[in-house]
């Protein structure tokens, strides 16, 4: 976010207001960069009653006037969604609940002056929500506010359990309306509908493209943007996701980046809506993937072979179960564990904390050999053609594998915290592989630990993690399943390279800046 958190205690505005409906109650309000501090003045409480509405929980602020034409008071309404405890069958849980606080501005004896004050508070609050830096010295006027955003919402009505449209009308549209976001909602009608749509739209009409679905629909959007003649500009269009699918991996990564606790279902959705309303955009890595037929496309999440891709595709029959489909699929696949012979080659990153340079890799014969592609996108300057050997600087492992996974987000699913050390734009592919010989018990323990991200500390000789810039996978087992971002691709040799910060993601928060002070 743009605000400086070292000044979080600075008072930006202070005032005394009534409430609506009027019950003789008055409050003192103090606005700081991180929250609205509320203290009741009348009737005077027995103790020092103060509450704080965090800016992070707010989505918008509107002004209004009473219906009475002779009303001199102005009002401002704050829409927020704080976490509150909710009783459930097995105890209690925390969930976001809508809270609207309405304050009456009655300082002046005429409506016009009171409305100016109400507008000033509303402007300041909306600036803080959207990360516009303001201080106590800032002259607060409506001109400070960013222009209202216009989003293209792409909804897959068949995603997850098929309740995306209901979730959209129940949660998404009411909240983004409170945030003054205008939108056009389009339901996809078939596979690749979104891909075709974003190839032809006028991007200047939009401030972002947001998918209301799982990760598969965003895969279509990213590749549709890359297939445009103006792909270099098009891929910078901010993209976002509101999780209404089965896996919801990218939503899990966005949720984690914002510093929220791991969440699923409606809680994850509400967190992501709040972050969308804030609108902060961050660069995000994309990975170019080339298959054996020469097809090339772009991935934002993962390349998988073996156990993970088997579960992903074979659990389609349990789609009606939502995210539980993966749990059932995992149990089935553990019971009948498969191994796959393959050759895995990769370019390791010796210092994962060092910025990645944009160097050209020499081929074994010493000649420059970037992959010349007939499709759009940056050159794969680290990859030789699939029919040529990898450079000598690469590491090659030939093994019987249980799984191979290249991942570049923190999460593989909303509840699979697979790469806790990953960042949206760190320029790294985190390559995991599990070798044959691991017991079923150890494999189950690995995935259970992955739910909390504690698997990284588990010592297991069969599990390997290495950060890389590029890799090639050559399956030597005749049959198998390869997936990219959860979508099945043709089976055969496949290779991939990271392209740092190629796209933009609507993250709503810059976690590094939040925690650096």
């Amino acid at each position: 976010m743009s605000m400086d958190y070292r000044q979080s205690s600075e008072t930006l505005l202070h005032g005394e207001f009534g409430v609506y409906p009027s019950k003789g109650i008055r409050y003192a309000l103090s606005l700081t960069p991180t929250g609205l501090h509320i203290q009741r003045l009348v009737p005077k409480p027995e103790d020092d009653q103060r509450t704080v509405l965090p800016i992070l929980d707010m989505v918008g602020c509107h002004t209004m006037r009473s219906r009475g034409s002779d009303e001199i008071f102005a009002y401002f309404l704050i829409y927020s969604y704080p976490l509150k405890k909710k009783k459930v069958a097995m105890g209690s849980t925390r969930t976001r609940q809508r809270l609207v606080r309405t304050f009456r501005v009655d300082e002046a004896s005429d409506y016009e002056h009171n409305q100016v004050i109400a507008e000033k508070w509303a402007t300041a609050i909306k600036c803080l929500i959207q990360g516009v830096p303001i201080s106590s010295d800032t002259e607060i006027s409506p001109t400070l506010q960013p222009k209202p955003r216009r989003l293209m919402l792409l909804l897959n009505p068949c995603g997850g359990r098929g309740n995306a449209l209901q979730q959209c009308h129940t949660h998404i549209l009411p909240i983004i309306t409170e945030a003054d976001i205008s939108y056009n909602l389009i339901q996809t009608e078939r596979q690749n509908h979104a891909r075709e749509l974003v190839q032809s739209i006028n991007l200047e009409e939009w401030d972002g493209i947001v998918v209301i679905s799982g990760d598969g629909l965003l895969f279509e959007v990213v590749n549709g943007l890359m297939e445009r003649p103006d792909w270099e500009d098009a891929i910078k269009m901010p993209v976002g996701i509101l999780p209404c699918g089965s896996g919801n991996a990218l939503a899990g990564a966005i949720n984690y980046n914002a510093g929220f606790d791991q969440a699923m279902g409606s809680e994850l959705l509400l967190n992501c809506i709040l972050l969308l309303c804030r609108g902060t955009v961050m660069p995000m890595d994309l990975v170019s993937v080339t298959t054996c037929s020469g097809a090339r496309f772009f991935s934002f999440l993962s390349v998988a072979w073996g156990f993970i891709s088997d579960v992903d595709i074979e659990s389609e029959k349990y789609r009606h179960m939502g995210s539980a489909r993966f749990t059932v699929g995992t149990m089935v696949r553990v019971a009948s564990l498969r191994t796959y012979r393959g050759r895995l080659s990769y370019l390791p990153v010796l210092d994962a904390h060092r910025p990645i340079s944009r160097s050209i890799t020499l081929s074994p014969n010493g000649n420059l050999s970037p992959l010349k592609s007939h499709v759009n996108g940056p050159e794969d300057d680290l990859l030789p053609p699939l029919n040529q050997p990898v450079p000598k600087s690469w590491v090659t492992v030939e093994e019987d594998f249980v799984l191979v996974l290249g991942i570049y987000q923190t999460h593989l699913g909303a509840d699979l915290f697979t790469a806790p050390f990953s960042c949206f734009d760190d320029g790294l592919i985190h390559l995991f592989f599990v070798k044959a010989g691991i017991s079923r018990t150890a494999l189950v323990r690995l995935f259970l630990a992955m739910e909390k991200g504690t698997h990284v500390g588990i010592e297991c000789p069969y599990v390997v993690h290495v950060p890389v810039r590029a890799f090639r996978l050559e399956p030597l087992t005749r049959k198998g399943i390869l997936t990219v971002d959860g979508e099945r691709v043709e089976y055969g040799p496949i290779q991939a390279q990271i392209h740092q910060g190629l796209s933009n993601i609507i993250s709503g928060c810059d976690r590094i800046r939040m925690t650096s002070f």
Side-chain angles (χ1 to χ4, degrees):
M1 281 181 288
S2 303
M3 67 183 70
D4 186 341
Y5 278 80
R6 286 171 293 189
Q7 304 297 323
S8 61
S9 61
E10 178 188 16
T11 299
L12 306 176
L13 291 175
H14 181 81
E16 295 183 11
F17 305 102
V19 294
Y20 180 86
S22 178
K23 297 179 180 178
I25 301 173
R26 294 192 65 77
Y27 290 99
L29 304 188
S30 297
L31 182 65
T32 73
T34 56
L36 180 68
H37 299 252
I38 306 170
Q39 181 180 14
R40 198 175 82 185
L41 300 175
V42 179
K44 190 172 180 61
E46 294 180 2
D47 54 1
D48 186 15
Q49 282 192 8
R50 299 183 189 215
T51 58
V52 180
L53 294 182
I55 298 295
L56 281 173
D57 291 341
M58 298 180 191
V59 299
C61 185
H62 293 167
T63 62
M64 71 172 208
R65 184 177 187 176
S66 173
R67 291 180 180 178
S69 58
D70 57 346
E71 175 73 83
I72 65 168
F73 307 128
Y75 300 86
F76 61 95
L77 296 77
I78 300 170
Y79 302 96
S80 66
Y81 289 79
L83 279 168
K84 293 187 177 181
K85 282 188 177 181
K86 181 180 179 181
K87 290 184 179 179
V88 294
M90 301 297 291
S92 64
T93 185
R94 293 202 308 165
T95 186
R96 293 197 179 274
Q97 297 179 18
R98 182 174 185 263
L99 175 66
V100 181
R101 297 294 300 263
T102 304
F103 296 99
R104 187 184 74 184
V105 182
D106 50 13
E107 181 177 311
S109 58
D110 61 280
Y111 169 75
E112 285 71 22
H113 284 87
N114 287 328
Q115 177 65 10
V116 168
I117 296 170
E119 287 286 357
K120 185 175 183 178
W121 278 78
T123 296
I125 290 170
K126 285 189 277 192
C127 284
L128 293 176
I129 290 172
Q130 295 189 46
V132 176
I134 60 174
S135 71
S136 56
D137 297 326
T138 303
E139 184 66 35
I140 297 172
S141 68
T143 58
L144 283 176
Q145 294 175 215
K147 68 180 180 68
R149 287 171 289 158
R150 181 168 171 76
L151 300 180
M152 173 177 283
L153 306 180
L154 299 175
L155 183 146
N156 177 8
C158 300
R161 295 183 178 180
N163 63 350
L165 188 59
Q166 177 188 343
Q167 294 274 51
C168 185
H169 287 292
T170 303
H171 297 298
I172 299 169
L173 299 186
I175 296 177
I176 67 174
T177 299
E178 292 171 347
D180 295 320
I181 296 173
S182 61
Y183 60 87
N184 190 9
L185 176 64
I186 300 172
Q187 292 190 54
T188 57
E189 299 170 356
R190 61 186 183 282
Q191 191 172 13
N192 284 322
H193 184 189
R195 189 172 189 158
E196 297 163 7
L197 185 67
V198 300
Q199 288 178 26
S200 59
I201 61 173
N202 181 358
L203 295 177
E204 292 182 359
E205 295 180 358
W206 307 99
D207 297 303
I209 301 173
V210 178
V211 301
I212 302 173
S213 183
D215 298 308
L217 195 60
L218 188 59
F219 177 81
E220 287 191 25
V221 169
V222 166
N223 283 280
L225 293 172
M226 289 301 297
E227 288 160 4
R228 293 171 58 106
D230 60 344
W231 66 268
E232 288 181 276
D233 294 324
I235 197 58
K236 297 304 181 183
M237 167 65 67
V239 295
I241 191 164
L242 296 177
C244 290
S246 299
N248 302 321
L250 184 60
I254 291 170
N255 185 74
Y256 171 71
N257 178 75
F260 292 141
D261 292 338
Q262 191 158 289
M264 293 184 67
S266 59
E267 183 181 341
L268 176 62
L269 175 60
L270 286 170
N271 285 353
C272 288
I273 300 171
L274 258 66
L275 294 169
L276 177 71
C277 292
R278 301 190 69 78
T280 308
V281 174
M282 293 178 64
M284 181 174 70
D285 299 341
L286 292 182
V287 168
S288 59
V289 180
T290 307
T291 64
C292 54
S293 68
R296 182 173 182 247
F297 36 83
F298 289 83
S299 160
F300 63 87
L301 177 59
S302 66
V303 177
W305 179 52
F307 186 91
I308 288 173
S309 53
D310 290 351
V311 169
D312 207 351
I313 300 304
E314 293 172 358
S315 67
E316 283 283 344
K317 62 175 74 78
Y318 312 121
R319 179 169 284 277
H320 64 281
M321 301 175 69
S323 60
R325 66 179 258 212
F326 299 112
T327 303
V328 174
T330 298
M331 293 168 61
V332 171
R333 191 46 46 226
V334 166
S336 180
L337 200 58
R338 299 169 181 158
T339 58
Y340 297 87
R341 188 74 182 175
R343 186 181 300 114
L344 179 63
S345 304
Y346 54 87
L347 176 61
V349 178
L350 300 180
D351 183 356
H353 299 289
R354 185 179 301 163
I356 292 177
S357 62
R358 293 299 181 192
S359 59
I360 302 283
T361 301
L362 293 178
S363 65
N365 61 12
N367 297 323
L368 294 176
S369 60
L371 180 66
K372 297 295 184 182
S373 176
H374 297 293
V375 296
N376 293 336
E379 286 186 342
D380 288 331
D381 52 9
L382 303 177
L383 295 173
L386 263 172
N387 60 1
Q388 292 185 15
V390 297
K392 291 180 180 179
S393 57
W394 289 37
V395 176
T396 297
V397 180
E398 187 170 319
E399 287 275 0
D400 290 322
F401 295 101
V402 171
L403 67 87
V404 175
L405 172 68
I407 184 170
Y408 9 102
Q409 300 292 350
T410 54
H411 286 66
L412 187 60
D415 58 346
L416 284 177
F417 195 17
T418 307
F421 26 68
S422 181
C423 299
F424 285 125
D425 63 339
D426 59 6
L428 299 174
I429 299 172
H430 294 280
L431 191 60
F432 291 87
F433 55 93
V434 177
K435 297 180 285 188
I438 190 170
S439 68
R440 288 181 175 84
T441 302
L443 189 63
V444 170
R445 191 182 302 124
L446 175 69
F447 277 95
L448 288 175
M450 201 178 289
E451 293 181 5
K452 300 297 182 184
T454 56
H455 61 292
V456 178
I458 294 178
E459 293 291 333
C460 179
Y462 299 101
V463 181
V464 179
H465 162 247
V466 57
V468 306
R469 286 189 272 181
F471 71 91
R472 176 185 291 177
L473 174 62
E474 300 168 89
L476 302 177
T477 299
R478 191 167 60 89
K479 291 184 178 180
I481 297 174
L482 278 168
T483 58
V484 177
D485 294 358
E487 302 296 307
R488 190 170 189 169
V489 299
E490 60 184 316
Y491 190 68
I494 192 171
Q495 62 184 17
Q497 171 183 330
I498 196 85
H499 293 279
Q500 189 170 18
L502 183 59
S503 65
N504 286 318
I505 181 75
I506 304 173
S507 66
C509 241
D510 183 339
R511 191 168 190 256
I512 296 174
R513 193 171 298 179
M514 282 185 65
T515 58
S516 61
F517 303 118

